[in-house]
Amino acid sequence: AATVPLDGLRVSLSKPVPVARSKGYLWFPTMTRLAGGELFAVLSTNLDAIVADRTAAVTWSGDGGLTWSELSSIDPKGDLYSESTLRLPNGDELLYPFNLYPRPDGMSWIHQIVSGQKGKREVRLVKEGLIVTGWPRPDRSFNEKLGLSGFGFNGQTLVSRDGSHLATLYGHFKDEAHYSLVLVESRDGIRWKYRTTIAGDDCKLEGGEGPCESAICRLKDGRLMGVFRLASNVPYGQTFSSDEGRTWTEPVAMANAFSVQPSLVVMRDGKVALSGGRPGLFLWINADGSGQDWQRVDILAHHNATHPEESIGQPGHTTSYTEIVALDDTHLIYMYDRVPHGWSAIPEESPDTNSIWVMRVSLEQP
């Protein structure tokens, strides 16, 4: 539908297609590509708040995102919204909860397993086993009335060079005013242990929330890169690690990339793609794979140009929470939401709906 010329790169964008619609809450998408090749998405159907029983709907695509299955709920009901996934050795996908609860030796809660077998569209609830231990100091509860721990899984997972898994959580340590972003490690994806703090309460960057929502990736030179939120409408923080996440460079503010829930993809040739926004919806491309020198594509403007009848108007008419997933060596898929009534619930009598959209992106040498 459109081609955007960048320096040393041509970006082609398909016409966006809808994934799902609802007159109720439908936003904050999480998406992953399963071992069998299908795309799988978890969509929040809950208000934007930390509650004990956050609800979600799930959907699959078997044709690269062009069409999607009807929304399905997950039974039994419970705290079933996930923002972080991990591929298990048998090809299944593990979905991590954000909410965790205190245990004598750490933090724990239920999790979900999605079948990675193509065509077997099944989600299974697992009620025990997941735990995070080794915390260096006490935490501060997200919600004392609900009895929650102070940290939750969020962001992307990686495999370390020694074969262990790496994941990120954010939350509060006791007596600290700002969020801290931490890295944990696991051999099996179930039993996790604190490894280090990527960026903490003492982070000097602009943003009153502190380091929180994040994404991590491995660059083509082997370093790890982390990108994280500090608040709405301020630049992302960025940091690097050359020792598998044990230590991280002093965070810096990214020059033109902002501001909530980043998502990262490293293409086979090393190009790095970053999605996010607020205000707006954007895709940033780093062509040389260094994690520096980002070029920007305006996804919101492309949506409005191709769907003027369902445009995203005011800044609050999308959460700017996005997800990108690589489809092959040169293509990725970009998912985002449209919330035409802003942050409020949609009145049942309204003809307009909350909706989730995807577009395909091609990254080509000119």
Side-chain angles (χ1 to χ4, degrees):
T3 300
V4 181
L6 301 180
D7 184 14
L9 187 66
R10 183 174 59 244
V11 180
S12 298
L13 306 175
S14 76
K15 185 177 181 179
V17 298
V19 173
R21 301 178 184 275
S22 175
K23 288 190 174 184
Y25 294 112
L26 190 68
W27 48 7
F28 302 110
T30 297
M31 176 176 53
T32 189
R33 192 178 186 197
L34 302 174
E38 291 190 307
L39 293 167
F40 172 78
V42 181
L43 315 173
S44 174
T45 57
N46 206 91
L47 75 164
D48 181 24
I50 295 176
V51 296
D53 55 352
R54 292 200 298 180
T55 58
V58 297
T59 179
W60 287 260
S61 174
D63 55 11
L66 183 62
T67 61
W68 293 79
S69 65
E70 292 293 324
L71 292 182
S72 302
S73 60
I74 304 172
D75 291 319
K77 300 293 188 295
D79 180 21
L80 301 175
Y81 177 66
S82 175
E83 299 173 332
S84 185
T85 71
L86 181 144
R87 177 74 50 79
L88 297 172
N90 66 355
D92 290 346
E93 204 80 13
L94 196 154
L95 307 185
Y96 291 99
F98 181 81
N99 287 353
L100 296 172
Y101 291 83
R103 296 292 182 265
D105 52 350
M107 307 174 187
S108 178
W109 192 228
I110 61 176
H111 61 283
Q112 301 157 81
I113 301 291
V114 183
S115 173
Q117 184 178 335
K118 187 174 182 179
K120 187 179 181 181
R121 297 177 171 181
E122 177 183 279
V123 182
R124 177 168 53 90
L125 181 67
V126 181
K127 294 185 177 181
E128 57 187 24
L130 181 68
I131 192 165
V132 186
T133 63
W135 293 94
R137 55 190 187 277
D139 59 303
R140 174 164 64 88
S141 174
F142 268 114
N143 188 315
E144 292 184 355
K145 290 183 178 179
L146 299 178
L148 295 176
S149 295
F151 283 80
F153 280 96
N154 168 271
Q156 295 164 288
T157 58
L158 285 177
V159 177
S160 182
R161 294 196 186 282
D162 65 2
S164 62
H165 301 289
L166 303 177
T168 51
L169 297 87
Y170 77 85
H172 290 101
F173 286 110
K174 188 177 181 180
D175 299 325
E176 292 186 348
H178 302 99
Y179 286 123
S180 289
L181 175 65
V182 306
L183 187 73
V184 295
E185 58 185 321
S186 172
R187 299 301 300 187
D188 60 3
I190 300 295
R191 295 178 292 273
W192 293 88
K193 184 178 180 180
Y194 170 92
R195 174 173 278 195
T196 192
T197 296
I198 297 174
D201 174 71
D202 59 351
C203 181
K204 300 179 179 62
L205 300 180
E206 176 188 3
E209 298 172 8
C212 49
E213 299 164 350
S214 70
I216 55 175
C217 70
R218 185 181 299 279
L219 301 175
K220 67 179 183 180
D221 64 7
R223 291 178 301 155
L224 304 185
M225 181 180 73
V227 175
F228 56 86
R229 167 180 172 160
L230 290 146
S232 293
N233 306 305
V234 302
Y236 287 128
Q238 183 184 35
T239 181
F240 300 87
S241 174
S242 299
D243 58 4
E244 296 302 289
R246 292 175 177 84
T247 60
W248 294 81
T249 61
E250 182 75 16
V252 298
M254 298 184 71
N256 68 343
F258 49 87
S259 68
V260 301
Q261 187 66 48
S263 181
L264 286 167
V265 164
V266 179
M267 309 302 286
R268 187 178 295 274
D269 64 1
K271 291 185 185 70
V272 187
L274 165 66
S275 70
R278 188 179 294 177
L281 295 163
F282 294 97
L283 176 68
W284 292 271
I285 305 295
N286 168 237
D288 65 7
S290 66
Q292 309 291 339
D293 301 321
W294 298 86
Q295 301 182 74
R296 188 169 73 182
V297 178
D298 192 334
I299 298 298
L300 188 147
H302 178 66
H303 174 98
N304 288 349
T306 52
H307 289 280
E309 77 288 355
E310 291 190 87
S311 64
I312 298 173
Q314 300 178 27
H317 290 181
T318 176
T319 66
S320 298
Y321 279 63
T322 65
E323 192 85 77
I324 49 175
V325 171
L327 296 175
D328 55 35
D329 292 354
T330 58
H331 295 87
L332 57 86
I333 189 166
Y334 186 117
M335 179 175 280
Y336 57 99
D337 59 32
R338 175 180 180 264
V339 287
H341 293 266
W343 300 102
S344 63
I346 295 181
E348 288 296 327
E349 64 273 12
S350 172
D352 212 348
T353 58
N354 280 345
S355 51
I356 306 293
W357 297 76
V358 291
M359 69 176 67
R360 183 173 290 206
V361 181
S362 174
L363 308 178
E364 301 167 335
Q365 299 302 125

